[in-house]
Amino acid sequence: MKTLVLVDVQNDFTPGGSLQVPGGDGIIDPVNKIQNRFDLVVATQDWHPPGHVSFASNHEGKEPFEVIDLDGREQTLWPDHCVQGSEGARLHPRLELSRVEAIFRKGMDREIDSYSAFYDNGHLKSTGLAGYLREKGAGELHFAGL
């Protein structure tokens, strides 16, 4: 089954967002156009609780993009972004969602970051995406996003 995984196409990662990727909204029209070429389309969503450990604002005297040691792992400190329920955490309004069968949220544990669509940075908690893809019989995987 040919599968498209849309990764973190969220307001905070597009122009005007708190952790914007320059030109990040440029991915939206192309991924909208290709979704119909796939048997399965799913998405991920960064979904941090307020006070997340990766936010520089939670580390006195630290600035965004500084790197610290956090429990033996390097942690980049970020501007507050994709806070649960915020406008910045929403999937971009131009992203076509009618073919998206499931959305997998990540970064929900206040004490550990999660860059992967599959598990947190400590490989302690799964997002459930791998199991879902196996259950659906996904074979050929394509990833697009921010």
Side-chain angles (χ1 to χ4, degrees), residues 62-83:
K62 298 294 183 182
E63 295 293 324
F65 310 108
E66 285 188 50
V67 178
I68 64 168
D69 179 272
L70 187 65
D71 301 325
R73 284 186 298 277
E74 280 192 358
Q75 174 65 57
T76 300
L77 298 178
W78 305 108
D80 291 21
H81 66 282
C82 299
V83 175

Side-chain angles (χ1 to χ4, degrees), residues 90-104:
R90 292 180 192 269
L91 294 170
H92 195 279
R94 283 191 8 246
L95 181 64
E96 177 58 50
L97 297 175
S98 64
R99 298 210 60 244
V100 174
E101 290 191 23
I103 298 169
F104 294 85

Side-chain angles (χ1 to χ4, degrees), residues 21-105:
V21 174
D25 56 346
I27 189 95
I28 297 166
D29 290 339
V31 298
N32 284 345
K33 288 178 185 172
I34 65 169
Q35 286 185 39
N36 64 355
R37 299 180 189 170
F38 294 88
D39 305 306
L40 175 64
V41 180
V42 297
T44 68
Q45 186 176 26
D46 225 15
W47 193 251
H48 297 305
H52 193 266
V53 71
S54 71
F55 297 164
S57 63
N58 294 315
H59 300 272
E60 190 172 331
K62 298 294 183 182
E63 295 293 324
F65 310 108
E66 285 188 50
V67 178
I68 64 168
D69 179 272
L70 187 65
D71 301 325
R73 284 186 298 277
E74 280 192 358
Q75 174 65 57
T76 300
L77 298 178
W78 305 108
D80 291 21
H81 66 282
C82 299
V83 175
Q84 295 174 359
S86 71
E87 185 62 30
R90 292 180 192 269
L91 294 170
H92 195 279
R94 283 191 8 246
L95 181 64
E96 177 58 50
L97 297 175
S98 64
R99 298 210 60 244
V100 174
E101 290 191 23
I103 298 169
F104 294 85
R105 290 179 167 165

Side-chain angles (χ1 to χ4, degrees), residues 12-27:
D12 270 346
F13 297 133
T14 58
S18 65
L19 191 51
Q20 64 184 327
V21 174
D25 56 346
I27 189 95

